[in-house]
Amino acid sequence: MTLRSIRNLTLLLGAAVASGCTVFPNPEPPRVMDLATTRDVPDAGHTVSGTLRVDTPYASEPFNGSLILAKPTPQEFRAYEGTRWRDTAPVVVRDTLVSSLRQSGAYSNVITDTNPAQAELTLVTELSAFHSETPESGPQVVIELHLQMIHNRSRASLCTRTERVVEPASGTSVDQIVEAFGTAGSDLAARVIEWSTRCDYPSRLRPSPETDPPRQP
C-alpha cells in the first residue's frame, strides 16, 4: 500500500468517525419474547381467605438465565440465536403464575416475593425443565416445576407436587417454539390453580363455597 493510499484511508476513517458512523456493522438487537398464555384462566370456584406470596422459582444452570433453550440430545443444551426471554426463565414463570392465580380468584390476594407485605402462605417452586426437544414424534417444549405450599406461621408444608407439561410444537422455528411455550404455560397455570386450592389449609383459611371469589386485575 502506497503512502498516498494510507493517507486516503486515514481520511476516510476520520470522516466516518466524525459523522458518528462506524466501519464495523452493529449486531442486530435480539428479539425479546414473552411467555404469552394462550387459554382463558379457569375460575377457581372458591377463594382461600389469605394472601399468597409466589416466590421466584429456584433454578440451576442453564434454566436460570434468559436464553431460549433447546435440548437436541440428552447430553447437550443449545440456545436459539438472536432471541431471548424478556427476563430470566424463573421470573417469566413466576409472573405467569401470579397473573393466572390473580385472575382465577383462588386467593384473597396474590403477591410476588418482591412485595414486602405480609402473607399467610408462600408458594415455593423449583424449575427443572424449560426447553424444547425434538424426539421422533416431533418438536415439543417441556416445562417441569416442583411445587410446595408453605404455611408461613407454622412453616408447615401443606402440599407438594411436581408438574411436567409436554406441549407439541407446530415446527422448529423460534416463533413456533415460543407459541408452544405459551400453550404449555397456560396448561401449567391451570394445573397449579387446581392443585393449590386442594391443599390442606388451616380452618380459618379454607375456601368458603358461599363466598364469590374476588378477581384481581
Side-chain angles (χ1 to χ4, degrees):
M1 183 178 287
T2 65
L3 180 62
R4 183 174 181 180
S5 298
I6 294 174
R7 184 181 297 111
N8 289 339
L9 178 59
T10 302
L11 291 174
L12 177 61
L13 292 174
V17 172
S19 64
C21 300
T22 175
V23 294
F24 302 102
N26 288 322
E28 292 206 7
R31 298 176 65 196
V32 180
M33 314 300 280
D34 198 4
L35 186 66
T37 52
T38 60
R39 300 171 185 163
D40 292 337
V41 176
D43 194 316
H46 307 312
T47 300
V48 177
S49 302
T51 295
L52 171 67
R53 174 179 287 107
V54 179
D55 280 359
T56 302
Y58 168 78
S60 58
E61 290 281 359
F63 302 117
N64 59 356
S66 61
L67 297 176
I68 300 178
L69 297 170
K71 195 175 185 182
T73 70
Q75 299 83 21
E76 180 185 15
F77 283 100
R78 293 184 182 179
Y80 289 88
E81 294 184 4
T83 312
R84 66 173 177 85
W85 295 115
R86 62 170 177 81
D87 209 311
T88 65
V91 170
V92 169
V93 171
R94 180 203 67 189
D95 291 351
T96 298
L97 293 179
V98 168
S99 176
S100 298
L101 285 163
R102 285 174 175 171
Q103 292 180 57
S104 73
Y107 297 87
S108 299
N109 190 23
V110 180
I111 62 177
T112 71
D113 49 0
T114 61
N115 192 322
Q118 292 186 343
E120 289 81 9
L121 303 163
T122 298
L123 178 60
V124 179
T125 57
E126 297 177 22
L127 184 65
S128 54
F130 198 75
H131 62 275
S132 71
E133 298 176 347
T134 312
E136 292 184 0
S137 57
Q140 61 189 29
V141 302
V142 181
I143 305 177
E144 184 168 296
L145 193 67
H146 180 72
L147 305 131
Q148 187 174 22
M149 186 68 69
I150 302 296
H151 181 232
N152 292 336
R153 177 175 295 182
S154 65
R155 305 309 299 170
S157 176
L158 303 180
C159 55
T160 61
R161 185 166 182 168
T162 297
E163 291 289 355
R164 181 178 176 87
V165 180
V166 179
E167 180 66 31
S170 58
T172 58
S173 73
V174 67
D175 292 280
Q176 292 167 320
I177 293 299
V178 170
E179 182 180 2
F181 266 112
T183 304
S186 296
D187 191 3
L188 176 67
R191 295 188 191 185
V192 171
I193 291 167
E194 180 185 5
W195 162 81
S196 66
T197 54
R198 293 188 282 108
C199 291
D200 187 18
Y201 295 107
S203 56
R204 69 182 187 85
L205 298 178
R206 286 176 188 165
S208 172
E210 291 80 18
T211 303
D212 291 333
R215 288 182 175 270
Q216 301 177 53

